[in-house]
Amino acid sequence: ANAWATYSQGETKRGPRLNFLFVDCQEGRTIVTQVLPSLLLSLISDKTLPLHELQAKLLVLKEHLSVTLEQAFPAGTRLGPSCVNND
């Protein structure tokens, strides 16, 4: 979330907003996008899945979740740590 906030704030001042954040790690890949103003969606895969396929999966999942989440959390609703189950 901190990396997203850093890049997204910087981009809004200089140009287009951030749509995706790709992180390439030793054992896999992560892609992050924003679903709601205070909610990020992340997918993780191993290195065998091409980035364009991981991005396509993320877009489909975001599309399916966004309508339901927008109804559950109307504009102005802030999601915070109290909404996360850390079990």
Side-chain angles (χ1 to χ4, degrees):
N2 288 339
W4 181 271
T6 300
Y7 283 106
S8 110
Q9 288 172 359
E11 287 297 316
T12 57
K13 294 175 186 172
R14 290 181 292 216
R17 73 180 199 89
L18 183 65
N19 290 320
F20 302 101
L21 180 64
F22 293 97
V23 180
D24 198 9
C25 302
Q26 233 175 359
E27 296 184 17
R29 296 181 170 130
T30 301
I31 183 173
V32 182
T33 192
Q34 189 171 24
V35 179
L36 297 176
S38 59
L39 183 65
L40 300 176
L41 176 62
S42 173
L43 289 183
I44 299 170
S45 75
D46 60 19
K47 295 239 179 193
T48 61
L49 186 67
L51 281 176
H52 70 277
E53 288 183 27
L54 185 60
Q55 182 180 8
K57 289 174 185 264
L58 183 76
L59 287 172
V60 168
L61 188 56
K62 177 183 176 180
E63 184 179 321
H64 286 288
L65 288 175
S66 64
V67 173
T68 303
L69 290 171
E70 286 171 358
Q71 292 172 354
F73 303 101
T77 303
R78 293 239 356 123
L79 301 176
S82 62
C83 296
V84 178
N85 184 359
N86 292 321
D87 292 338

